[in-house]
Structure formats: C-alpha cells, structure tokens
Amino acid sequence: MADFSNVSALLEQFAQQSVVGCSCAVSHKGKTVFEGYAGYADKAAGRNIDKDTVYRLFSMTKVIVCTAALKEFEKGRYLLNDPFYEYFPAYRNMQKVVVLPNGTVEFRPLEHPILVKDVFSMSMGFPYTMGDSVNGHRIQQVKDRLTKQYGKYTLQQEINAMAEVPVAFEPGTHFLYGYGHELVAGLLEIVSGKTVGEYLKQEIFEPLGMESTGYRYFGDIRERMSLFYEEDENGELQGGKGMLDEFHEPDALFEHGGGGLFSTTGDYLAFATMMANGGKTPDGAQIISPRTIDLMRSNQLCPEALKDFRNDYLAGYGYGLGVRTLVEPGAAYYGGNAGEFGWTGAGGTYTLIDPTEQVAIVYMHQRMPNLEREHHHRIRNAVYAALD
C-alpha cells in the first residue's frame, strides 16, 4: 500500500515555516489515493485549511480554458494553423516592435500573421503588463482607456482593442509569457457562441461535479476562500484580498482566459484526474479525446523559443498548447515520464498530470512570492516516490 507520510510531513513543514496553510490531493488510476491539509485559510480567525477551502487559481485557469478551447477544435470549428484574424479581423494588419542598433524603437508590419497555435503556445508576442516593455505599456494603456470609457467591460471588447498593440516579435519565433490565453478564451467564445464562463460550467464543471469552481462568487464561496498572504516590510505574512478579486464579484463582466477562476483542491483534482485518464469522467463520459490531450502536451516551441521558456523551475520542460510538458526527464531533476504536463498559479497553486501512469497531483497555497520552486518540486518528488 502506498505510503504518503512524507507528503503529509512536507505539508506540515510548509504550513509551519513558509506558508500559513496548504493542501494536496493525488489520484492514481482514477482513484484518489491521498488528501492532506495543513495550517490555516485565515490564521487570525483560526479558520483551518480543509477540503472546502477555495483558492484563487490564477494561471492554473489556463489549463482548463485551453482544454475547453480544444474541445471545439475537435468539432472542426477552427484549425491550429488558421490565421487568428479569421476570427478577429482587427488582427489582420498587426505590427511588431523593432529596436534598432541605436536604441530607437520602430513599429513595422508583421511578415507572417499570428496563427491560432501561436496564441495557445504564447509565442505571439503579447506580454503581461508587469515589467518594462514597449508593448506591455501599450497593453496597460488600452486597459486604462477601456476602464475609463466603460467602467466594467467584456473580454471581447478588450481583445478587439488590443489589436492596436504591436507584438514583440514575429509570431512563432520566441516565447513570451502573457496575454495569449485571453485570446484563446475569446476564440472559444466566438466559435462556441457562449461566454467562456458558460462554456466551462456546462462542458467541464457540471460533468465533473466541480461544484465549487467558477469566476463569480456564488453560495458561500466568498466565506470559504482562503485569505491571500503577502510579506510585509518585516517579512511577516499578512492576509487579505488577492489580485483579481474584483473579478469574482457578481457584477463583474470580464472573464479571463489566463486567470480568474477559483476552485477547491478536490474540484481541481477531478479535472486533472479526467485529463490523466484519457479525458474520461468516472462514469465513462468522454470530455475530450486522448489524442487531443496528446496534442496538447506536445511541445510547440522552436529551439529559440525554448531558450526563452526554460529556467531552473522549468528545466527539461517544453510548452504545448497551454501547458508545460516534460520533454527531457533527465534534465528536470526527477524521474518523471515524458509528456507529463500541467501548470502553476501566481499564488502558489500547482498541478501535474501524467497520462503514462495515470497520476494527477494538485497542490494549493495562497501567498506571494509563491515559492513555486521551493514547494512544487518537493511535493512532486515525494508523491512519485510514494506511488505503488
């Protein structure tokens, strides 16, 4: 029988030393084989982390949204090598940033159009707004203008406005983490005729029984959500609201493709388990084809883009259609299986999905900095060592 005592010990260690609270759940061959909870969701109030605790997923939203969009790919609604402008005509005449040897910045027309696969693989040149880049600043200016004009606005309004922003390079030539999956979500809305929130609820959350997952607060979700902890000037963790919490309010309009969902450990494990088991629910319903999952976890980055993507945390990995994917197990510092895939959230959430051994891991905490390298790989290694 599998012994997960080392995983439990890690959770307790984390909750005592580096986070206020955390949780982890593991499935193997379709069965939940471990659940562990340690510490607090709200330390000051004495509210413990437990199976009902709700977490902000941030970028772990991406895995779900890209899975949903690939369900429409299976229906023939679009091709990965389609120009993105076929679905958003405003993107037909895009420009790119060119920095001349003397430091002067110019905007020049693209030589090749952005393809649908480029937005999935974030190789189309739109960053997030943090950092100091020409087009990152332009993206923020567009957001500020839309807010001034509309107050609250929709994903479709933002995507169409973003077409005025130059991309950082020729599509497909580099990797740049950022805005690509908002475009994936927008494509999903166009080809399905539903908002991304409606689609996820009907096609993924309800079939999998994910009753505590969504974009907007409902029921007692607000009361069950973990506080978000950040270090103060003395290095002490202080709890409060999290980034993007305003988008959870019932009157919000915008639904992110690259973030914005909340979930419980168990809910997300239901999704990850389905993906690890060939796209099937426990009752045998096929959510997505195993062949499409194989496509999703196939590296899409060229050698130059792989250099942009990899760091110590992502050593040995490539990037597929919305997910990191293990391509060189020996370079990843653990004995995993090629094709293992998943992603991470800015607040410390993590998922690993391994169709080879039908393993799914979900780990959750809520803090910044998110300690991804310090926590996630230790959990990963301990889980794999414990498996039968």
Side-chain angles (χ1 to χ4, degrees):
M1 186 174 180
D3 179 3
F4 287 91
S5 59
N6 287 334
V7 182
S8 295
L10 276 177
L11 296 180
E12 293 294 338
Q13 175 187 322
F14 294 161
Q16 292 172 20
Q17 297 180 0
S18 53
V19 297
V20 171
C22 55
S23 63
C24 180
V26 180
S27 69
H28 188 204
K29 298 180 180 178
K31 304 291 185 182
T32 300
V33 293
F34 174 79
E35 288 182 76
Y37 306 92
Y40 298 97
D42 181 343
K43 188 172 183 180
R47 178 161 59 93
N48 291 327
I49 291 277
D50 60 24
K51 66 181 180 61
D52 294 319
T53 301
V54 177
Y55 306 84
R56 303 157 190 84
L57 294 179
F58 297 115
S59 287
M60 259 168 56
T61 300
K62 292 174 167 67
V63 187
I64 296 176
V65 168
C66 288
T67 298
L70 287 169
K71 282 174 61 65
E72 293 301 292
F73 168 81
E74 291 183 335
K75 299 174 185 177
R77 299 282 172 78
Y78 63 90
L79 299 175
L80 290 171
N81 57 339
D82 282 342
F84 189 69
Y85 66 68
E86 290 187 3
Y87 306 93
F88 287 89
Y91 285 72
R92 178 179 290 273
N93 298 308
M94 295 288 289
Q95 294 185 311
K96 64 183 176 183
V97 176
V98 177
V99 181
L100 301 179
N102 64 3
T104 302
V105 174
E106 292 184 353
F107 300 151
R108 297 178 182 173
L110 287 180
E111 298 171 24
H112 306 284
I114 298 167
L115 303 182
V116 170
K117 72 180 183 70
D118 298 326
V119 302
F120 270 96
S121 62
M122 286 197 281
S123 56
M124 49 79 66
F126 270 179
Y128 282 132
T129 54
M130 68 280 288
D132 187 18
S133 67
V134 172
N135 57 349
H137 290 306
R138 291 284 292 271
I139 288 172
Q140 187 60 58
Q141 290 169 4
V142 170
K143 289 176 177 284
D144 292 344
R145 187 183 75 230
L146 289 171
T147 300
K148 184 176 180 180
Q149 183 176 357
Y150 298 109
K152 296 179 175 65
Y153 59 84
T154 68
L155 175 64
Q156 293 291 318
Q157 288 174 306
E158 183 175 281
I159 288 175
N160 281 293
M162 287 298 173
E164 71 185 55
V165 178
V167 299
F169 42 74
E170 279 293 318
T173 62
H174 288 277
F175 175 87
L176 182 58
Y177 192 61
Y179 193 78
H181 293 162
E182 312 312 323
L183 303 184
V184 171
L187 174 66
L188 171 62
E189 292 189 336
I190 291 294
V191 300
S192 72
K194 301 175 182 178
T195 68
V196 61
E198 290 169 343
Y199 192 96
L200 296 182
K201 181 178 179 181
Q202 294 169 16
E203 301 291 332
I204 294 180
F205 302 156
E206 289 179 346
L208 288 170
M210 298 170 66
E211 297 180 350
S212 297
T213 304
Y215 283 108
R216 311 282 185 249
Y217 294 128
F218 58 87
D220 60 352
I221 293 292
R222 189 192 301 268
E223 291 72 34
R224 291 163 50 199
M225 187 170 279
S226 171
L227 293 188
F228 192 80
Y229 285 85
E230 298 185 74
E231 293 182 353
D232 62 18
E233 62 275 9
N234 299 315
E236 298 293 326
L237 290 174
Q238 302 296 329
K241 291 186 176 181
M243 302 177 293
L244 308 182
D245 274 6
E246 66 271 22
F247 294 101
H248 299 317
E249 296 295 340
D251 63 347
L253 299 178
F254 195 91
E255 294 174 337
H256 295 78
L261 287 175
F262 52 74
S263 191
T264 61
T265 306
D267 267 17
Y268 206 97
L269 185 68
F271 168 77
T273 299
M274 176 272 294
M275 296 293 281
N277 288 273
K280 285 188 177 181
T281 66
D283 61 5
Q286 195 78 47
I287 299 292
I288 188 169
S289 164
R291 293 178 179 83
T292 305
I293 296 172
D294 287 345
L295 173 64
M296 185 182 195
R297 63 194 181 111
S298 298
N299 175 58
Q300 299 292 319
L301 301 183
C302 68
E304 195 63 32
L306 271 176
K307 295 177 185 177
D308 302 326
F309 174 73
R310 286 180 173 170
N311 53 33
D312 187 50
Y313 179 67
L314 293 167
Y317 286 92
Y319 197 73
L321 299 174
V323 293
R324 68 164 192 275
T325 183
L326 185 58
V327 294
E328 298 177 59
Y333 312 121
Y334 92 115
N337 296 297
E340 166 259 287
F341 69 100
W343 199 240
T344 299
T349 58
Y350 169 77
T351 191
L352 179 153
I353 301 165
D354 181 355
T356 301
E357 294 193 51
Q358 294 178 274
V359 172
I361 304 171
V362 175
Y363 170 82
M364 304 279 202
H365 70 233
Q366 301 276 261
R367 68 152 286 170
M368 284 286 283
N370 72 358
L371 303 180
E372 58 186 21
R373 181 185 180 278
E374 293 81 358
H375 285 205
H376 299 167
H377 290 176
R378 286 178 167 85
I379 288 290
R380 175 194 70 185
N381 297 349
V383 167
Y384 270 86
L387 292 170
D388 289 329

